[in-house]
Amino acid sequence: MNCPEADARLAADVLLSADLRGIDSHGVARLSGYVRLWEAKRINSNPTIKIVHETPSTAVVDGDSGLGLVVAPKAMEIAMQKAAVAGTGWVAVKGSNHFGIAGYHAMMALQKDMIGMAMTNASPLVAPTFSVERLLGTNPICVAIPADKQPPFVADFATTTAANGKLEILQRKNKEAPEGWIQKKDGSTSTNPHELKEGGALIPLGSDREHGSHKGFCLGAWVDIFSAVLSGANYGPWVPPFVSFLAPPANPVGEGIGHFLVRCVWMLSARHRNLKVIWITGSRGFALLKRPKDMITL
């Protein structure tokens, strides 16, 4: 692919980390897909990644059609640099490609004792609740939070009931999908892992209205807005497909795939500020409720 050695090592590290964490759908098995996209001239193996807009705590990064496995970690570094100075770093990325597991990028923050968040939009395979048209991707979210001497809190999940990669694994094993993962072209449920090839769609997290699939779709839309609308990337049905045999939409509304990366300085640990009390979410609000009412400013 004529990729710089440092970038190749970084990309390999992202893929291997997925396999080591048991996420086979996003590991080395994905490598051939990236190569085919490069052969189709849809991935720039030697991109010029640059900041196109920034403030002390925010930035918009242009990935120059680079490999998402490389673009996202470099954008994360920018977020961490800003967080080290401003307390938080918020980076939106356009002009990128599939970035592997969101967990890799979010967990980069743990090395600096920071909170990390990573999300990305993806090619449209998901139909909204009560719909049959594909409008969003699996749009994963990851949050990584350090926990001092304990294992960190890491939540990494797609906003669909199952990621497309899970279907690919079932296809290779010649197994059926569980109920609630996919639907047919007409909107009825299916357990056929090949259903997407027949015009079917993935189902938002929750599987159906009674189990909250409308909330799963809202989460996916939120990721799309943060990743693409804020950055200038393609969103919704205009996101280019991850596979090389499908052409990108004829009339794109942005540039490539989008990511959104967040870094926050970890302020909850007493060792950082020599506090005698560790404040957690809601602590200040509950403390204020106990103060004399005549101290409230009207």
Side-chain angles (χ1 to χ4, degrees):
M1 291 179 63
N2 195 31
C3 184
E5 182 177 349
D7 288 357
R9 289 182 178 276
L10 177 57
D13 192 45
V14 178
L15 293 176
L16 286 171
S17 70
D19 285 318
L20 291 173
R21 290 180 64 81
I23 311 174
D24 300 338
S25 59
H26 286 64
V28 176
R30 284 285 185 202
L31 181 58
S32 61
Y34 296 116
V35 173
R36 285 193 289 269
L37 285 172
W38 171 72
E39 291 173 339
K41 302 187 184 305
R42 285 167 51 187
I43 284 182
N44 179 0
S45 61
N46 193 10
T48 300
I49 302 169
K50 60 183 179 182
I51 296 174
V52 295
H53 174 75
E54 67 178 323
T55 70
S57 62
T58 68
V60 175
V61 170
D62 183 351
D64 192 26
S65 298
L67 193 62
L69 306 172
V70 174
V71 175
K74 292 186 177 182
M76 285 292 190
E77 291 289 350
I78 295 171
M80 285 194 288
Q81 291 168 10
K82 290 185 175 294
V85 176
T88 60
W90 307 73
V91 177
V93 180
K94 65 177 180 177
S96 187
N97 283 280
H98 190 280
F99 76 176
I101 58 169
Y104 181 93
H105 314 297
M107 291 175 66
M108 287 175 61
L110 300 177
Q111 302 168 16
K112 301 291 185 180
D113 202 28
M114 294 181 181
I115 296 172
M117 292 179 61
M119 61 192 78
T120 183
N121 67 356
S123 51
L125 297 173
V126 185
T129 303
F130 301 137
S131 177
V132 296
E133 182 181 359
R134 299 174 178 178
L135 287 181
L136 292 181
T138 53
N139 295 8
I141 303 171
C142 181
V143 179
I145 304 174
D148 198 15
K149 297 179 181 179
Q150 302 301 318
F153 172 89
V154 180
D156 182 1
F157 56 92
T159 53
T160 49
T161 304
N164 184 41
K166 302 297 184 184
L167 293 180
E168 294 173 347
I169 291 174
L170 292 177
Q171 292 168 17
R172 291 195 290 270
K173 294 181 177 180
N174 197 29
K175 292 184 177 181
E176 289 192 341
E179 290 278 354
W181 280 23
I182 46 179
Q183 66 182 35
K184 296 181 180 180
K185 188 176 182 178
D186 63 5
S188 59
T189 59
S190 173
T191 59
N192 177 10
H194 298 275
E195 200 66 62
L196 294 180
K197 300 174 184 177
E198 305 298 326
L202 291 172
I203 301 175
L205 187 63
S207 296
D208 55 39
R209 172 64 177 81
E210 288 69 25
H211 294 92
S213 63
H214 57 297
K215 298 177 183 178
F217 185 76
C218 285
L219 281 174
W222 172 55
V223 172
D224 211 29
I225 293 168
F226 273 62
S227 299
V229 178
L230 295 185
S231 69
N234 290 292
Y235 53 85
W238 291 280
V239 178
F242 178 57
V243 292
S244 60
F245 58 83
L246 293 177
N251 300 301
V253 294
E255 299 177 40
I257 285 176
H259 316 313
F260 192 72
L261 317 168
V262 181
R263 290 293 178 269
C264 302
V265 174
W266 181 237
M267 298 298 290
L268 302 184
S269 176
R271 71 179 184 276
H272 283 280
R273 292 163 54 189
N274 296 318
L275 297 175
K276 294 181 179 180
V277 178
I278 297 178
W279 292 79
I280 62 174
T281 302
S283 295
R284 182 175 181 274
F286 281 112
L288 291 175
L289 287 174
K290 297 179 180 180
R291 63 181 174 169
K293 296 298 183 286
D294 59 2
M295 292 180 61
I296 298 176
T297 302
L298 300 177

